Amino acid sequence: MSHASYELKAVARERVGKGSSRELRRNGSIPAVIYGDKQAPISIALDTNEVTKRIHAGGFMTTVATIDLNGEKIKVLPKDYQLDPVRDFTMHVDFLRVSADSQVSVQVPVHFINEEKSAIKIGGVLNVVRHEVELHCPADAIPEFITVDLAGHKIGDSLHISHVKLPAGVTPVIADRDFTIATIVAPAGGVSEGGEAAEA
């Protein structure tokens, strides 16, 4: 399952535009917008420190949050955020409004296990093609990551999405092919007779 849900307090923004956004940031707030679920978008402001803390904690884009807007609790999923390219602080966040039966598309990280039980142990190199996979998931059941088991795989093997056991109700966005997540390749110097990687 994804990271534990959390709540952010927000205030409605009356004025929108560059001038008011700059003023918000000067006062320690971030402009944000909530959209989706066939309702009108809502412009809000959030506490900069709270949002930055959540982004750096990991799992920000795959965790459903609750926004408390003047007492109204709105369930949302972060869809995008902008960082200042120079000073690395959060400039803006887009949230998608979700409900219990919402289906969402999210980029989920890939974790690899059992490297020591594969050709990597004798010097093979794991060539990761996709560090994240885009999945269709129920909004309330977004996996924190998906796991690829490398046990028994040899040099030259490709690991595809079909090798991954996905949770119930979760499907890859790319549905027309069994795409590659990683391959195990020989090191640049090849593998010696004894199974050790030769010096490149």
Side-chain angles (χ1 to χ4, degrees):
M1 267 302 292
S2 58
H3 289 73
S5 189
Y6 57 90
E7 188 168 297
L8 294 170
K9 284 206 176 299
V11 293
R13 279 194 294 150
E14 301 304 325
R15 296 186 303 130
V16 292
K18 283 189 175 166
S20 66
S21 294
R22 273 198 298 270
E23 189 181 333
L24 275 177
R25 292 187 198 107
R26 273 199 303 273
N27 294 327
S29 294
I30 295 173
V33 67
I34 302 172
Y35 66 93
D37 210 22
K38 302 190 176 84
Q39 297 182 46
I42 306 171
S43 295
I44 58 170
L46 299 163
D47 180 77
T48 301
N49 292 339
E50 275 297 305
V51 175
T52 304
K53 193 166 74 182
R54 294 296 173 186
I55 289 172
H56 291 307
F60 184 65
M61 303 293 283
T62 56
T63 304
V64 172
T66 301
I67 290 184
D68 180 345
L69 181 60
N70 306 328
E72 182 192 355
K73 310 277 187 175
I74 305 169
K75 288 234 176 290
V76 296
L77 181 69
K79 286 306 283 182
D80 194 21
Y81 62 90
Q82 292 167 306
L83 295 177
D84 181 280
V86 179
R87 290 170 291 173
D88 197 37
F89 67 85
T90 314
M91 301 272 291
H92 189 273
V93 186
D94 288 346
F95 293 101
L96 177 69
R97 193 187 273 107
V98 297
S99 53
D101 54 357
S102 293
Q103 288 280 329
V104 294
S105 297
V106 288
Q107 294 279 0
V108 175
V110 179
H111 286 194
F112 297 92
I113 60 169
N114 290 326
E115 290 190 13
E116 72 286 353
K117 296 180 182 173
S118 71
I120 294 166
K121 188 178 180 189
I122 60 157
V125 176
L126 181 65
N127 175 33
V128 180
V129 179
R130 292 174 187 268
H131 291 277
E132 295 183 320
V133 173
E134 191 173 10
L135 302 173
H136 283 307
C137 324
D140 59 354
I142 299 169
E144 190 174 338
F145 54 83
I146 59 172
T147 303
V148 176
D149 189 346
L150 299 173
H153 285 286
K154 303 187 246 343
I155 286 173
D157 283 359
S158 293
L159 295 110
H160 299 97
I161 188 64
S162 59
H163 290 108
V164 180
K165 188 173 186 330
L166 295 173
V170 175
T171 57
V173 169
I174 299 173
D176 61 344
R177 64 185 189 278
D178 189 14
F179 57 86
T180 303
I181 293 175
T183 56
I184 298 177
V185 295
V191 176
S192 68
E193 299 269 321
E196 293 300 315
E199 290 296 318

